[in-house]
Amino acid sequence: MTRTSAVTGTRVGNRARALVAVGAAVVLGATAACGGGSTGEQAAENPIAVEQVPAYYPADYSQIIQGSKAEGDTLTIYSNTDQENWAPVFRDFQKKYPWITNIQANNLDSDEVFQRVLSEQATGGSPADVLVSNAAQAWAEYASQPGRLLDYTSPELPKLTDFAQLMPNVYTMATDPMTIAYNTSLLDRAPTSLSDLAAMVRQDPAKFQDKITTRDVNGAFGFTVSHTFTDSVPTAWQDLETLLPMARPETSSGTQTEKILAGEYVAGFFISGAPAYPVVEDSGGLFQVAFPKDGTVVLPRGIGITPKAPHSNTAKLFLDFVLSQEGQRAVAEGGLTSYRPDVTAAPGLRTYQEVVDQVGQQNVIVAKYELTPEQEVEEFVGRWDGLLGR
């Protein structure tokens, strides 16, 4: 991790790496452990107004649509978002703008999104049109430098919440809640909070020794969610002093969910809901997640347009689409968490309001994209890794 920046929080309410064109939807249901829709149920069809935009869009928006047609059929996205999460979004975007037949979504590690585009730009140019990542620290470092994003104000912004714009030209595509994930064959009840999980550990420490996982704070994702939690929950370090000596860090949510499901870990905390939900669906009840009631960190998934996007008009259409009611509905269907107020929870759909309803608005912590002094980053990582015995 580059020790120059981080994220603080305020209380407010990777699987395969491939370059692919996506045309089919994978529908993810909601789980009983987290509330919301019924497990395994398919979301209703998302009605799409083909080539039509809302009345509140500017009158000259048609120029962007025509410009996109002139650019051809391609859109290239660098992201850390899994293909099953993207599938309904791409399906519905292609319904709305049917000339976009070739969406290439390069699935990278969260920090690698920025490393790759910077490397390509330094050697003559990048094919990337759109960047998507929930590595808030990496976003903060990248976007704080001038000329790294296209200057664009979405007409959807007034219809969204106060955390819809994370930095200039960086928008929230989805809100990823951090869960406690656990193996139901190894725990007889769901941990309701980090404090509750810590109490379980104190009661039977041998059961949990080296059997808990959390994200490595030496990466941008792990640092962000962990620092945000400790910065916002007064009892955090008290519980972490119990949990971390029992824990082993991992560098990806996919590895964590696989090892919890296999029983290598009993439980894990700060597990992103986006990759965890499909595991819940496919596990036959063996893997479950819960929103911690002492503080659920919600990590915005940022989206922005590259400054020299080869398909800049199509990139604008895509950004506006994912922020629109149609797009946020597709975001929710794909297993990511929609935050738009006029998208409501339903079978097969995930929403920010679901998290609020489960833990209370006062216990939802939305991470902000902000730089933090190097010394503060080093002190936090040192304290965390010290408790891990590293």
Side-chain angles (χ1 to χ4, degrees), residues 92-372:
D92 291 348
F93 180 66
Q94 289 172 315
K95 284 182 183 178
K96 191 170 188 71
Y97 302 112
W99 62 90
I100 309 302
T101 59
N102 182 25
I103 300 177
Q104 299 179 332
N106 201 333
N107 193 0
L108 306 167
D109 287 338
S110 54
D111 295 6
E112 191 182 358
V113 169
F114 308 100
Q115 295 164 358
R116 177 170 293 195
V117 72
L118 286 172
S119 176
E120 290 171 343
Q121 289 171 351
T123 57
S126 172
D129 297 302
V130 174
L131 306 179
V132 177
S133 176
N134 58 1
Q137 177 182 337
W139 258 122
E141 293 175 0
Y142 178 86
S144 64
Q145 299 299 314
R148 288 186 171 177
L149 290 170
L150 186 71
D151 187 11
Y152 182 65
T153 300
S154 173
E156 293 289 352
L157 192 56
K159 302 294 182 179
L160 300 171
T161 64
D162 57 355
F163 54 84
Q165 189 164 27
L166 301 162
M167 299 179 70
N169 304 309
V170 183
Y171 295 88
T172 297
M173 186 185 97
T175 47
D176 301 337
M178 301 299 115
T179 72
I180 298 174
Y182 61 100
N183 187 308
T184 60
S185 71
L186 301 175
L187 282 186
D188 55 7
R189 68 175 180 85
T192 60
S193 64
L194 256 68
S195 289
D196 188 29
L197 182 60
M200 292 181 179
V201 171
R202 295 184 191 107
Q203 186 174 9
D204 189 0
K207 178 178 181 177
F208 292 93
Q209 184 65 56
D210 295 327
K211 295 290 187 178
I212 297 174
T213 183
T214 190
R215 280 296 283 264
D216 190 342
V217 296
N218 292 276
F221 180 96
F223 178 86
T224 296
V225 298
S226 304
H227 183 264
T228 298
F229 183 83
T230 60
D231 199 46
S232 305
V233 178
T235 61
W237 283 110
Q238 177 182 329
D239 296 321
L240 289 167
E241 286 169 1
T242 296
L243 294 170
L244 289 177
M246 301 289 181
R248 289 157 53 191
E250 300 285 355
T251 58
S252 79
S253 296
T255 300
Q256 290 176 308
T257 57
E258 289 168 6
K259 290 184 177 182
I260 293 170
L261 182 62
E264 183 172 336
Y265 294 123
V266 174
F269 57 95
F270 303 153
I271 310 295
S272 175
Y277 295 147
V279 182
V280 173
E281 291 299 318
D282 297 338
S283 71
L286 187 59
F287 179 97
Q288 286 288 357
V289 296
F291 301 134
K293 294 187 176 181
D294 48 1
T296 295
V297 175
V298 170
L299 182 58
R301 188 172 292 255
I303 180 170
I305 303 172
T306 60
K308 296 181 180 180
H311 311 95
S312 60
N313 288 291
T314 302
K316 292 174 183 178
L317 294 183
F318 185 75
L319 186 148
D320 293 336
F321 175 76
V322 297
L323 300 182
S324 72
Q325 185 179 33
E326 293 172 331
Q328 284 288 293
R329 165 63 171 68
V331 163
E333 184 181 338
L336 299 178
T337 302
S338 169
Y339 68 100
R340 190 177 165 111
D342 54 8
V343 175
T344 58
L349 303 180
R350 300 249 169 218
T351 68
Y352 171 82
Q353 189 60 44
E354 173 189 353
V355 183
V356 173
D357 291 344
Q358 288 291 306
V359 305
Q361 186 168 350
Q362 73 279 8
N363 294 317
V364 177
I365 310 163
V366 178
K368 297 198 294 186
Y369 285 32
E370 291 181 347
L371 296 174
T372 295

